[in-house]
């Protein structure tokens, strides 16, 4: 939101208006007065006067930009104004100048619904809490509501108690002295939205549209007014009148704001003539100054004064300048001299009828923070008998030892004694010479001694050598259950952003990780899963359609970047941006709020399983709509796809036969296609609490061929009947996808018990084999391999004992077959064995585990999702030039090779299974894995603008002609401008330095490409403004030149396109092999979400840079080398792209004339000049910029554009 319009053309107040405001108090954010917004104001240089009796805007201030103000309240005891916002934050302002007094947090997630001041502090009401704080922010008491209650309103009564009402069917009376429930009154009509009080009644306004008058002692209903049919918005009581506003029901259009105010006479308890007003009333208050007039406020910022028994006058309508925001809160001071409005943009507007306004008739003095008294310490009276001598520092003159001098016997360090050997080791040890050998009982971790300082009896991890994520570096070191490589990783941002963060610590492979700081990046692990399925990788990269938000297209763009990356992380920002626009994703609850991700409230295990089902269905639909890969605007097709069946259907699809048998004998059979199966676990007997032993293959077969009883409609019986529903499959999929559905403690306990059964069985098998041999086999040596060496070894494996199979229930390989006689058969199978020719002839297939996705439970970080993926030979061949298979752990940008058995081990206390993928052995041989780039030169052709008002005469670029199509090595000047979608989240450390927790989320708003050679050098051929459907919090106009409305298709006059359209143009240029010239291109490509090979990027910020020196701005370089004065008021991407091209030409000129030594000498002079001028460009003597003829000589054709 842009608040610049609040400050233009404003005059200053005389000092008399500031009252006795302390000099140390923070000034208001807007200490001026806007004469265009005031009614009847006369301004001159000497004084300022306001017409008495006419309300006009006195001040406006911003608490938190973009955070809606949900509650306003004038302090009843001091000259203060209170506001509460949508994020549970409360701020107070002092006096008419609105100097900030205090600011503190009440609740982390709930809105502030109502505020009320007491003598000792202020009451703050949220949905589930009533909190009382001092005016400085200290806690007085905290009153939580009962479970299920939802507050809406409070009313402080005359007897030191407060009434709390809301959606519940009762009102609670809380004693403010004891903070205990005094009474609980049951309501006949629940939903109390507003409460008022007079000396005769309590008034309760209900959400149903009724207003009830209740007895002051018993709270019983005395009278009832049915005001509105659609709902009540607000009401107020004064004298013998009650006025209410609300909503009326419309038969076709639902609810609408009623412009008739209902007025009731409390003497006769009946309605009088309704009052028609000219605004849509949302709030109303009686302001009895000269008469009992009413103030009616609309949500759009209009308010009107009228008499409750007369006609409303159009001339009495005023307008609050909210800059397009909506009014959400309103209050009137007790003196009736001031009104306050809070809008949805975080702005507070103070209106008054006099410049020397006072909020209360008799306000007490406000306490301000005391100044520092260090330099004004009182003098010590040496002759006084009670002066403490400890205040006088004295030298140490005595030779006696001090209490802090510990004796040597107590200060000598002693090593901790080693624990005694395990008796089991001594009992089984065999001695050869002076060396003893014994089997490891595995009661402790290797190379660890348990120090029982705090009786921590947990399993700890010491295998991983990857440095811990910065999220735990500043915390106190303590032993931790979750291994480091599985913990949630975060990026530590510095003032250089990501440039000095070492991702190589977390990923020493050549595969690309994904950054986790983007909203809804919880699905990063599943994106990696889809990427490492070769048919899907080829499918989406061959896919291209004309839908603006197509997940298959965005996955293809992302997978292309993962292919090009050599270990550097990528980000899925464009894919997640398209994902947020899919209505089905929002309806399924797959789109998380930032607060849910940060606080760990999201149930990630269930969420990622729903995401898995959604993405397979969405890709199946999107790829089935298109007959084959085709150019963006072309009509060519290919034989790689067909209209009847998609690759997703062939890969995951399984034809299912659903049979429903009613007890009357009627059987209904339906066929369908399913892409995944959900695990169903046996019901536990309530009498026998022991869980029986099951094989995973048996449970999987039951889940696929599911049989259950349920109520269903029977056409024969013509009613709902108990039916037996059975599911059978007709064919086996190439990839079997399983959602594990371990979403409760019951399923987790089932997995735990089955894992223990499997482990005990493996131990018994090992004991039986050991008993057959006389001497035990020698102990195998466990090697700790470096990750980089491990990646280069072919067939990298670990020697595994039965102990290593603890917590493992699922097998690495399954044998599956379908026969007419036995139906579906599933059995465990040894991984290194193949099927016999007979079994293959019978249609049996082997399925290998290729993916397992666990949910890591971590109370400290809120948990996260990781993926174990078996990377096939083709990926290693492309990345590393070797041919082997290897299991890897993918944890966002942390990638590490692991043992294959780690993918089957699930210790449900911290590692809960979520998704499993079993792939048919050698399944990919029947798929065409060729990738044909679907992006061709047609994407650069002229396209229509999305903007309705854009005219050809306003064109800022000339599209490329066919003869100008780029060739490999051609230069293209590029610059991009951005807007902010989410502000940066940072915290201040105790030493005063700032630590960035989450960077600001940027979105590209304008992309410009100019010709780098030829007769039209410097003429832009792309100048696209990018339309966005997301809310922009800051247009950064000073730095981007983007103004509000430029990205709106309804009012923009620019050449407006979609991000996908411009992205395809840049992808075509990259694939062609052009070289991009620009200044700071690394950030540009990062926000656009493009990966450009380094040999195709010419960044002038590095060409004109000395090691260990600061980076130099484009403006300073243009002034120093080119005599150009650019970026005067705002940035222009065409100007910046041309300037970068000229600077590169200048660099080539310097390099050719004197070589690297000449360039270094020039750069030293540049840095010396920059230090002298503090890196600021001197003001130009002429208005058109110094050296503008030189720019004309460089680009003679540009001036005619």
């Amino acid at each position: 939101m842009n608040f610049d319009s609040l400050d233009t053309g404003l005059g200053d107040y005389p000092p008399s208006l500031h009252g006795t405001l302390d000099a140390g108090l923070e000034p208001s954010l807007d200490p001026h007065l806007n004469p265009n917004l005031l009614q009847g104001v006369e301004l001159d240089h000497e004084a300022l006067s306001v017409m008495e009796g006419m309300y006009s805007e006195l001040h406006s201030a911003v608490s938190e930009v973009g955070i809606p103000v949900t509650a306003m309240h004038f302090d009843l005891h001091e000259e203060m104004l209170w506001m509460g916002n949508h994020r549970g934050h409360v701020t107070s302002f002092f006096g008419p100048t609105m100097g900030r007094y205090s600011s503190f947090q009440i609740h982390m997630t709930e809105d502030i619904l109502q505020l009320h001041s007491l003598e000792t502090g202020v009451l703050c009401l949220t949905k589930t809490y009533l909190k009382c704080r001092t005016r400085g922010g200290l806690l007085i008491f905290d009153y939580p509501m009962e479970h299920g209650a939802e507050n809406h309103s409070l009313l402080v009564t005359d007897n030191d108690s407060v009434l709390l009402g809301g959606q519940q069917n009762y009102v609670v009376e809380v004693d403010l002295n004891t903070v205990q429930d005094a009474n609980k009154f049951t309501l006949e009509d629940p939903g109390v939205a507003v409460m008022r009080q007079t000396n005769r009644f309590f008034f309760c306004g209900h959400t149903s549209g009724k207003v009830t008058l209740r007895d002051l002692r018993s709270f019983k209903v005395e009278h009832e007014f049915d005001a509105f049919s659609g709902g009540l918005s607000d009401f107020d009581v004064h004298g013998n009148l009650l006025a209410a506003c609300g909503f009326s029901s419309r038969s076709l259009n639902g609810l609408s704001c009623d412009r008739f105010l209902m007025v009731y006479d409390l003497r006769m308890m009946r309605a009088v003539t309704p009052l028609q007003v000219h605004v849509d009333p949302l709030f109303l208050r009686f302001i009895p100054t000269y008469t009992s007039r009413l103030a009616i406020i609309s949500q759009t910022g209009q308010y009107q004064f009228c008499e409750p028994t007369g006609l409303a006058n159009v001339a009495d309508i005023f307008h609050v300048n909210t800059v397009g925001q909506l009014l959400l809160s309103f209050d009137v001071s007790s003196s009736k001299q001031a009104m306050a409005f809070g809008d949805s943009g975080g702005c507070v507007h103070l209106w008054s009828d006099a410049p020397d306004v006072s909020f209360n008739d008799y306000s007490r003095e406000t306490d301000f923070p005391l100044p520092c008294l260090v330099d004004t310490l009182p003098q010590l009276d040496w002759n006084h008998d009670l002066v403490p001598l400890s205040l006088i520092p004295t030298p140490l003159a005595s030779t006696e030892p001090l209490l802090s001098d510990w004796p040597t016997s107590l200060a000598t360090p002693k090593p901790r004694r080693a624990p005694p050997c395990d008796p089991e080791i001594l009992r089984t040890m065999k001695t050869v010479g002076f060396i003893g050998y014994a089997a490891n009982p595995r009661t402790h971790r290797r190379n660890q001694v348990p120090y029982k300082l705090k009786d921590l009896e947990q399993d700890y991890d010491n295998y991983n050598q990857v440095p811990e994520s910065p999220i735990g570096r500043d915390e106190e070191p303590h032993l931790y259950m979750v291994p480091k490589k599985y913990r949630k990783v975060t990026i530590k941002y510095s003032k250089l952003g990501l440039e000095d963060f070492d991702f190589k610590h977390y990923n020493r492979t050549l595969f690309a990780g994904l950054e986790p700081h983007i909203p809804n990046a919880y699905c990063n692990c599943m994106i990696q899963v889809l990427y490492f399925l070769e048919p899907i990788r080829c499918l989406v990269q061959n896919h291209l359609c004309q839908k603006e938000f197509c997940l298959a297209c965005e996955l293809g763009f992302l997978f292309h970047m993962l292919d090009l990356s050599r270990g550097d992380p990528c980000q899925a920002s464009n894919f997640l941006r398209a994902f947020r626009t899919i209505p089905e994703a929002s309806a399924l609850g797959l789109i998380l709020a930032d607060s849910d991700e940060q606080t760990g409230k999201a149930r990630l295990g269930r969420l990622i399983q729903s995401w898995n089902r959604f993405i397979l269905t969405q890709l199946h639909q999107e790829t089935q709509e298109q007959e084959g890969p085709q150019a963006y605007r072309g009509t060519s097709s290919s034989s790689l796809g067909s209209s009847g069946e998609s690759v997703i259907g062939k890969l995951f699809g399984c034809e299912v036969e659903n049979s429903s048998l009613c007890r009357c004998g009627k059987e209904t059979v339906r066929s369908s296609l399913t892409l995944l199966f959900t695990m169903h676990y046996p019901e536990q007997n309530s009498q026998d609490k022991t869980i029986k032993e099951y094989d995973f293959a048996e449970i999987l077969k039951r889940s696929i061929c599911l049989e259950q009883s349920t109520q269903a409609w029977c056409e024969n019986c013509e009613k709902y009947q108990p039916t037996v529903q059975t599911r059978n499959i007709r064919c086996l999929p190439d990839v079997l996808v399983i959602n594990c559905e371990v979403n409760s403690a019951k399923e987790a306990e089932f997995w735990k018990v089955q894992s223990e059964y499997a482990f005990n069985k493996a131990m018994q098998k090992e004991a039986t084999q050991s008993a057959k041999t006389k001497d035990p086999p020698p102990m195998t040596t466990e090697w700790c391999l470096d990750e980089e060496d491990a990646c280069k070894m072919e067939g990298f494996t670990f020697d595994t004992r039965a102990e290593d199979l603890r917590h493992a229930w699922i097998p690495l390989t399954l044998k599956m077959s379908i026969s007419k006689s036995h139906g579906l058969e599933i059995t465990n199978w040894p991984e290194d064995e193949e099927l016999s020719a007979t079994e293959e002839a019978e249609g049996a297939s082997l399925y290998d585990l290729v993916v397992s996705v666990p949910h890591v439970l971590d109370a400290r970080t809120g948990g996260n999702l990781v993926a174990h993926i078996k990377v096939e030979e083709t990926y290693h061949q492309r990345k590393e030039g070797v041919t082997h298979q290897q299991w890897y752990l993918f944890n966002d940008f942390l990638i590490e090779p692991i043992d294959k058995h780690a993918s089957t081990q699930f210790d449900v206390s911290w590692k809960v299974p979520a998704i499993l993928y079993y792939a048919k052995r050698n399944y990919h041989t029947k798929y065409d894995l060729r990738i044909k780039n679907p992006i061709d030169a047609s994407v650069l052709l002229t396209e229509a603008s999305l903007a309705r008002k854009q005219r050809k005469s306003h064109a800022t670029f000339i599209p490329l002609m066919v003869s100008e199509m780029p060739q490999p090595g051609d230069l293209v000047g590029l610059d991009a401008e951005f807007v902010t979608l989410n502000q940066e989240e940072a915290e201040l450390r105790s030493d005063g330095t700032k630590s960035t927790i989450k960077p600001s989320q940027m979105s590209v708003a304008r992309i410009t490409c100019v010709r780098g050679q030829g007769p039209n050098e410097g003429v832009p051929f792309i100048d696209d403004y990018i339309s966005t459907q997301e809310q922009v919090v800051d247009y950064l106009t000073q730095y981007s030149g983007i103004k509000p409305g430029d990205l709106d298709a309804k009012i923009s006059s620019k050449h407006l396109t979609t991000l996908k359209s411009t992205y395809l143009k840049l992808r075509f240029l990259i694939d062609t092999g052009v070289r991009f010239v620009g200044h700071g291109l690394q950030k540009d490509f990062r926000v656009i979400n493009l990966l450009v090979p380094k040999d195709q990027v010419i960044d002038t910020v590095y060409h004109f840079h000395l090691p260990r020196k600061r980076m130099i701005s484009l403006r300073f370089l243009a002034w120093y080398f080119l005599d150009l004065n650019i970026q005067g008021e705002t940035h222009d991407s065409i100007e910046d792209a041309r300037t970068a091209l000229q600077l590169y030409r200048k660099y080539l000129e310097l390099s050719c004339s004197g070589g690297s030594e000449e360039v270094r000498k020039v750069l030293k002079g540049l840095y010396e000049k920059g230090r002298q001028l503090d890196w600021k460009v001197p003001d130009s003597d002429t208005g058109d910029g110094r050296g503008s003829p030189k720019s004309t000589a460089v680009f003679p054709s540009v001036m005619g554009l």
Side-chain angles (χ1 to χ4, degrees), residues 293-304:
R293 59 177 175 172
L294 271 171
I296 301 100
I297 293 88
S298 74
Q299 198 168 21
T300 57
Q302 294 176 323
Y303 72 96
Q304 179 179 11

Side-chain angles (χ1 to χ4, degrees), residues 105-309:
Q105 191 76 25
I106 294 296
H107 201 280
M108 295 304 297
T109 58
E110 296 180 359
D111 302 0
I112 303 297
L113 299 177
Q114 195 170 341
L115 298 166
H116 190 89
S117 57
L118 306 174
E119 287 190 4
T120 56
V122 59
L123 292 174
C124 308
L125 181 71
T126 69
K127 186 169 64 175
T128 57
Y129 282 90
L130 174 67
K131 300 191 178 186
C132 185
R133 297 288 186 96
T134 65
R135 286 171 173 79
L138 299 179
L139 179 66
I140 297 179
F141 69 79
D142 188 349
Y143 178 83
M145 293 295 293
E146 295 181 5
H147 179 71
E150 183 174 342
N151 294 325
H152 273 195
S153 59
L154 68 83
L155 176 65
V156 177
T157 62
D158 299 331
N159 53 355
D160 290 335
S161 64
V162 60
L163 297 176
L164 302 178
Q167 293 288 0
Q168 59 273 15
N169 61 349
Y170 59 86
V171 170
V172 178
E173 183 180 7
V174 180
D175 191 336
L176 294 177
N177 296 319
T178 61
V179 199
Q180 299 291 333
D181 291 354
N183 283 301
K184 188 174 183 179
F185 307 106
T186 304
L187 302 177
E188 301 79 15
D189 189 6
V192 178
V194 187
M195 289 191 289
R196 301 277 188 262
Q197 179 186 6
T198 65
N199 55 0
R200 295 176 57 192
F201 300 105
F202 285 132
F203 298 83
C204 295
H206 298 265
T207 54
S208 61
K210 296 181 181 179
V211 179
T212 56
L213 284 64
R214 298 178 179 271
D215 186 80
L216 293 176
R217 294 184 178 180
S218 63
F219 211 74
K220 293 183 179 179
V221 177
E222 299 290 338
H223 301 280
E224 181 179 288
F225 299 140
D226 197 353
F228 296 93
S229 60
L232 186 71
S233 178
D234 197 3
F235 77 94
D236 199 10
V237 182
H238 175 68
N240 296 317
L241 294 177
L242 183 148
C245 62
F247 304 90
S248 298
S249 299
R250 299 289 186 264
S251 58
L252 296 179
N253 300 325
L255 297 179
S256 65
C257 191
D258 199 327
R259 289 201 174 187
F260 283 89
L261 304 183
M262 299 302 296
V263 183
Y264 297 90
D265 190 334
L266 300 180
R267 293 170 296 185
M268 295 179 288
M269 293 298 171
R270 64 178 180 84
V272 298
T273 304
L275 178 63
Q276 183 177 8
V277 295
H278 300 89
V279 299
D280 293 333
L282 181 68
F283 305 102
L284 61 82
R285 292 287 192 281
F286 279 100
I287 305 182
T289 51
Y290 305 103
T291 59
S292 299
R293 59 177 175 172
L294 271 171
I296 301 100
I297 293 88
S298 74
Q299 198 168 21
T300 57
Q302 294 176 323
Y303 72 96
Q304 179 179 11
F305 290 101
C306 63
E307 295 294 330
T309 56

Side-chain angles (χ1 to χ4, degrees), residues 850-862:
V850 293
V851 168
S852 63
V853 177
H855 175 205
V856 178
L857 304 178
D858 191 347
R860 189 173 68 163
T861 61

Side-chain angles (χ1 to χ4, degrees), residues 42 265 385 435 447 575 580 658 858 886 1013 1025 1041 1195:
E42 299 177 0
D265 190 334
D385 295 335
I435 300 176
N447 302 327
F575 170 78
R580 290 192 295 269
N658 297 290
D858 191 347
Q886 174 63 45
Q1013 57 276 313
Y1025 286 74
F1195 296 134

Side-chain angles (χ1 to χ4, degrees), residues 693-729:
E693 182 179 358
Y694 292 94
D695 195 50
F696 177 80
E698 180 183 356
I699 299 297
L700 180 59
K701 179 181 177 181
R702 288 188 181 185
S703 302
I704 295 176
C705 300
L706 186 64
E707 181 175 336
Q708 56 186 0
S709 298
T710 184
Q711 291 285 117
W713 178 262
C714 178
E715 295 180 355
N716 189 26
C717 302
E718 296 185 349
K719 62 180 179 179
Y720 283 96
Q721 291 278 44
T723 59
V724 177
Q725 296 186 352
T726 307
R727 181 174 68 189
N728 293 298
I729 61 173

Side-chain angles (χ1 to χ4, degrees), residues 576-577 580-581 981 1001 1003 1027-1033:
L576 293 176
R577 179 191 186 195
R580 290 192 295 269
T581 64
L981 301 181
Q1001 184 185 356
S1003 177
S1027 173
T1028 179
Q1029 296 183 358
E1030 298 180 287
Q1031 183 180 2
V1032 178
V1033 300

Side-chain angles (χ1 to χ4, degrees), residues 747-1024:
E747 288 91 0
E749 182 64 23
F750 181 85
W751 271 78
K752 180 181 178 181
V753 172
Q754 300 306 321
S755 300
E756 292 175 355
Y757 281 138
F759 173 70
N760 293 334
K761 186 182 296 184
M763 292 296 291
Q764 292 174 4
K765 182 178 180 181
E766 183 185 18
T768 304
Q769 292 177 351
S770 299
K772 294 180 180 179
T773 58
K774 187 175 183 180
D775 294 327
M779 295 292 293
T780 57
T781 304
E782 297 185 8
W783 296 95
C784 180
L785 295 175
D786 184 74
E787 298 169 26
E788 194 169 337
D789 296 335
C791 297
K792 296 178 180 178
M793 291 184 60
E794 185 170 352
F796 172 58
T797 57
F798 295 90
D799 186 16
T800 305
R801 299 173 60 93
E803 178 68 25
D804 296 325
L805 299 179
R806 186 182 290 273
H807 308 300
W809 180 43
I810 64 174
L812 285 169
T813 305
L814 291 169
K815 174 191 171 185
M816 299 180 65
S817 62
I818 298 179
S819 61
K820 293 183 179 180
S821 56
H822 299 91
L824 176 65
E825 293 184 349
I826 305 177
T827 56
N828 295 350
W829 191 264
E831 182 192 14
D832 52 355
E833 293 186 13
E834 296 288 343
L835 291 174
S836 64
T838 305
E839 292 171 322
E840 290 182 355
E842 293 175 353
S845 301
L846 294 182
Y847 283 78
D848 295 319
L849 181 68
V850 293
V851 168
S852 63
V853 177
H855 175 205
V856 178
L857 304 178
D858 191 347
R860 189 173 68 163
T861 61
N864 58 296
L865 295 162
V866 300
H868 307 116
I869 302 176
K870 184 180 181 181
V871 179
E872 299 294 336
E873 298 176 354
T874 54
Y875 291 89
H876 286 98
Q877 182 67 35
R878 283 194 301 270
K879 291 285 186 178
E880 301 173 347
V882 295
T883 304
H884 76 287
Q885 298 179 350
Q886 174 63 45
W887 280 92
Y888 289 90
L889 169 69
F890 289 83
N891 183 6
D892 290 330
F893 55 83
L894 184 152
I895 303 176
E896 180 181 335
I898 57 172
D899 177 30
K900 62 183 178 182
H901 292 281
S903 62
T904 63
Q905 293 176 315
F906 296 99
D907 183 355
V908 292
S909 60
W910 64 270
K911 185 181 177 185
V912 181
I915 298 171
L916 303 175
Y917 276 49
Y918 279 92
K920 187 181 293 185
R921 192 166 290 183
N922 301 322
Y923 73 98
H924 54 270
T925 55
K926 62 179 182 180
Y927 292 93
D928 190 345
L929 302 181
R930 296 172 298 171
I931 297 178
K932 179 183 177 182
N933 191 353
I935 306 174
D936 59 19
S938 62
V939 298
L940 293 178
L941 300 178
T942 305
E943 62 178 348
S945 172
L946 298 177
R948 300 175 182 176
K949 297 185 178 181
Q950 204 260 344
R951 301 177 181 176
K952 293 184 178 179
S953 58
H954 295 165
T956 56
F957 66 98
I958 300 176
L960 291 175
M961 307 298 291
V962 177
S963 59
E964 294 181 300
M965 282 299 165
Q967 302 299 323
D970 286 354
L971 296 181
V972 172
L974 183 139
D975 190 68
E977 308 294 351
F978 310 103
V979 293
T980 302
L981 301 181
N982 286 324
Q983 297 289 0
E984 176 188 82
E985 296 180 15
E987 64 180 1
L988 288 177
R989 297 194 185 98
S990 57
D991 58 357
T993 59
K994 187 177 78 168
S995 174
T996 301
I997 300 175
K998 188 176 182 181
S1000 60
Q1001 184 185 356
M1002 312 288 287
S1003 177
V1004 60
R1006 183 183 182 187
I1007 297 177
T1008 301
C1009 291
V1010 302
R1011 296 166 172 84
Q1013 57 276 313
N1016 292 327
E1017 180 177 350
V1019 178
F1021 62 93
I1022 296 175
D1023 188 24
D1024 292 346

